[in-house]
Amino acid sequence: MNDEEMHKMYLTHFLYKNGIIEPKPKVKENKKSDSKEVKIFLVNGKTLYFDNVSSTKELRENGRSVLLIKHFDDETNKKRISCFDLNKENIIGYSIDDEL
């Protein structure tokens, strides 16, 4: 391992250890093949991950934006709809990744 790789590995470890960046959750084996992954980026640098997402919808009315995420929650073993007010100051943005 050269010095550049060693420095990168040390820096990554430091960032994870100090909570500056969060590791991406491990991909679940029982994940549906046609599902999407949604990430909500927060102003504090953290990211909320949703997998097993069946659909998303952004609603806009009177200058307000809301993101609805329809997903399967593994902790409760139930289908859920999560709602995020995109106009809140603690939300920077979001991304939706389709499975390849």
Side-chain angles (χ1 to χ4, degrees), residues 4-15:
E4 184 179 332
E5 290 171 338
M6 192 71 144
H7 178 71
K8 187 176 179 181
M9 187 175 77
Y10 173 77
L11 182 61
T12 302
H13 174 72
F14 174 81
L15 294 173

Side-chain angles (χ1 to χ4, degrees), residues 59-66 87:
L59 304 174
R60 295 179 185 183
E61 188 175 320
N62 298 329
R64 307 289 298 171
S65 295
V66 175
N87 295 94

Side-chain angles (χ1 to χ4, degrees), residues 14-69:
F14 174 81
L15 294 173
Y16 283 132
K17 182 180 175 186
N18 291 295
I20 298 168
I21 58 174
E22 295 179 344
K24 182 179 175 184
K26 294 180 182 178
V27 175
K28 297 178 177 75
E29 292 179 17
N30 60 351
K31 184 177 174 184
K32 294 179 182 176
S33 62
D34 61 343
S35 68
K36 300 175 186 177
E37 181 181 82
V38 177
K39 299 173 191 165
I40 306 289
F41 304 108
L42 304 177
V43 76
N44 66 2
K46 296 191 180 212
T47 304
L48 302 176
Y49 293 94
F50 293 88
D51 58 2
N52 285 331
V53 174
S54 58
S55 68
T56 58
K57 187 172 190 173
E58 186 172 340
L59 304 174
R60 295 179 185 183
E61 188 175 320
N62 298 329
R64 307 289 298 171
S65 295
V66 175
L67 177 67
L68 299 175
I69 304 172

